[in-house]
Amino acid sequence: MRLFKYILSFTLLTLCWSSICLYGALNGWWLTPLAKQGDTNHFIKAVNHRFLNETKGNLAFIVLENGLVVSKQFSPSIDKINDETLFPVASMSKLFTAYGISQLAQQGQIDLDAPIANYLTPAWQLPSSSFDHNKITMRLLLSHTSGLVDGLGFADISEEQALPSLLESLQQPKSSRGNAKFEIGYAPATEWQYSGGGYLIAEHIIENITGITFEAFMADTVFTPLKMNRANYQFIGAQTNIANAYDSEGNKSASYQYVSPAATGLLASANDLTQFVIALQQGNTNSEQAIKDLSQPLGYKLGAPIWGMGAMLYAPTPKGNFIFGHDGANEPAINSALRINPNTNDAIIVLSSGGDHLASSIASEWTLWQTGVPDFLNFDSAIASAFLPIGSGILVIFVSLVLFYRKFPQLISKSSTNSVLQY
């Protein structure tokens, strides 16, 4: 009986303590920010000390505070980069596509909550399925909650290869893992499942509505008005002042083209991204609506909001909003990250073309420093931070129970006997 009570007590206390530790991990209890909240100088110094030696190629690191640039840093590199150097930003492209479509909605040319079937043409239609296609909207398409299960990740295409047309890509999409297909695999708005193919469809819709190419639309609607003077979708290898790609060992790698400019093809400089952030922070009707469109929670994992309309929702802010933006990564070691705090007008921009996930690592540290909460891309590290307190707590529970049961065996036996006699 005594052994049974010991095991039961140990199990219950261990489960309770482990649950508390895991809850704490998701709220940043066991993680230490690089600096005290508000101490920007210390944060920047800590990033330099911890991360800058990890880059094997190029790194641009921009910090904004209250809408103003307070730090611009560029790693010494053979490419001699500056704030006008073009970097491939990979999947961060999706954030700018969503912003452009938000502008289209504000102009009354598209309804974000209308069926996308209203904007398709006979040239290409959604594949048939058992689900209600009238529930598939542009808002869902851009938040990976439309029901599409294509899983596109777009393949690297060399300079020598001809890019397929948009229609050809819709009819026979090619992913980084080979051929893919469009398929509606779940009821719209009921799940979150990454779908790069949704952005191919968005491109098609934009061209149908505007009558111009997607690239021309983005130049007219986003890049020129926001003074993103170098942003474009052309092949990076044919342009000047570029950040060449380097692998995680520091070896120069080839540059590639991508089928979908909307999903992964954007090239931008640190100054371009700074102009975008400042435009979102203007506080006018246009920027406020754009932030609302981008950061409204739509995609959830394990009950937590992680995605808006073309924007990642990294962590909640104390005022009930979200740190939002987008990361991007392509092999061999291209990585980009943008985080915006709408409550403070603080932001971070990190562009890397050498060093495995370096940009995301720095930006995730910024999120923790800003909010005290780990961003969802740092979920694994947050959970791992609970292992030591869980293990330490279990050891304390074990020792405490051993001592307790050795010190008070008569009390426990007497208590058991009295309980029996009372009944």
Side-chain angles (χ1 to χ4, degrees), residues 75-265:
S75 62
S77 64
I78 58 174
D79 291 333
K80 298 180 181 179
I81 63 171
N82 54 42
D83 59 1
E84 293 294 346
T85 301
L86 282 175
F87 281 78
V89 302
S91 285
M92 189 194 288
S93 306
K94 296 177 176 67
L95 178 67
F96 294 88
T97 299
Y99 176 84
I101 290 173
S102 171
Q103 301 308 295
L104 205 59
Q106 290 189 51
Q107 296 164 10
Q109 296 191 62
I110 189 172
D111 183 342
L112 298 175
D113 298 306
I116 62 169
N118 295 354
Y119 306 108
L120 298 174
T121 68
W124 190 85
Q125 292 285 319
L126 286 167
S128 59
S129 77
S130 59
F131 301 103
D132 185 357
H133 288 194
N134 287 325
K135 293 183 178 180
I136 301 176
T137 67
M138 182 61 77
R139 201 184 299 275
L140 299 187
L141 201 66
L142 300 182
S143 62
H144 309 288
T145 58
S146 66
L148 285 170
V149 292
D150 55 90
L152 282 164
F154 293 94
D156 296 335
I157 297 177
S158 68
E159 180 183 8
E160 295 76 24
Q161 291 178 279
L163 286 173
S165 68
L166 175 55
L167 187 57
E168 288 171 339
S169 294
L170 286 167
Q171 292 169 339
Q172 193 172 8
K174 294 184 182 298
S175 78
S176 55
R177 297 182 297 274
N179 290 333
K181 66 177 182 178
F182 286 107
E183 184 178 358
I184 310 300
Y186 61 90
T190 61
E191 296 181 27
W192 178 90
Q193 190 169 150
Y194 194 84
S195 165
Y199 283 75
L200 271 176
I201 299 173
E203 279 181 54
H204 182 56
I205 289 172
I206 286 171
E207 294 190 355
N208 291 343
I209 291 173
T210 64
I212 59 177
T213 65
F214 172 78
E215 294 87 342
F217 163 77
M218 290 296 292
D220 293 346
T221 306
V222 180
F223 304 152
T224 299
L226 301 189
K227 299 180 181 178
M228 298 174 63
N229 297 325
R230 295 216 70 199
N232 69 81
Y233 297 100
Q234 300 170 34
F235 175 58
I236 190 171
Q239 302 184 62
T240 59
N241 191 8
I242 62 170
N244 288 298
Y246 296 86
D247 64 22
S248 57
E249 300 302 319
N251 302 309
K252 189 174 180 180
S253 301
S255 297
Y256 295 102
Q257 309 176 84
Y258 297 95
V259 166
S260 175
T264 194

Side-chain angles (χ1 to χ4, degrees), residues 275-416:
Q275 291 299 117
F276 175 74
V277 170
I278 291 172
L280 279 179
Q281 296 171 338
Q282 292 300 310
N284 55 37
T285 302
N286 181 290
S287 62
E288 288 177 354
Q289 184 59 49
I291 289 174
K292 182 179 178 181
D293 287 339
L294 295 171
S295 62
Q296 176 190 347
L298 297 167
Y300 293 79
K301 273 292 185 183
L302 301 176
I306 61 166
W307 228 278
M309 192 186 83
M312 295 180 179
L313 309 181
Y314 297 98
T317 67
K319 293 186 179 180
N321 297 316
F322 295 90
I323 301 290
F324 74 95
H326 213 293
D327 285 38
N330 277 334
E331 298 295 340
I334 292 169
N335 190 202
S336 63
L338 170 62
R339 308 273 196 283
I340 299 170
N341 186 338
N343 296 146
T344 61
N345 283 344
D346 293 353
I348 188 169
I349 298 160
V350 193
L351 299 170
S352 173
S353 63
D356 198 21
H357 299 295
L358 182 58
S360 292
S361 296
I362 294 172
S364 290
E365 289 290 349
W366 181 87
T367 301
L368 180 65
W369 171 63
Q370 284 273 312
T371 66
V373 180
D375 75 35
F376 83 90
L377 289 186
N378 210 25
F379 179 80
D380 291 344
S381 295
I383 293 297
S385 72
F387 293 165
L388 180 58
I390 287 174
S392 301
I394 290 173
L395 180 60
V396 170
I397 290 169
F398 176 80
V399 172
S400 298
L401 286 175
V402 168
L403 293 175
F404 179 80
Y405 278 93
R406 283 184 177 179
K407 189 171 183 180
F408 303 109
Q410 298 87 356
L411 178 62
I412 297 162
S413 299
K414 185 176 179 181
S415 174
S416 301

Side-chain angles (χ1 to χ4, degrees), residues 34 38-48 52 60-74 270 273-274 277-278 281 337-340 344-351 362-363 365-367 369-370:
L34 294 182
D39 190 347
T40 306
N41 289 334
H42 190 182
F43 175 79
I44 293 169
K45 289 178 181 177
V47 168
N48 284 324
L52 288 196
F61 168 46
I62 315 297
V63 177
L64 292 92
E65 195 171 63
N66 196 26
L68 300 174
V69 175
V70 295
S71 177
K72 283 185 180 182
Q73 299 192 49
F74 305 97
L273 301 186
T274 301
V277 170
I278 291 172
Q281 296 171 338
L338 170 62
R339 308 273 196 283
I340 299 170
T344 61
N345 283 344
D346 293 353
I348 188 169
I349 298 160
V350 193
L351 299 170
I362 294 172
E365 289 290 349
W366 181 87
T367 301
W369 171 63
Q370 284 273 312

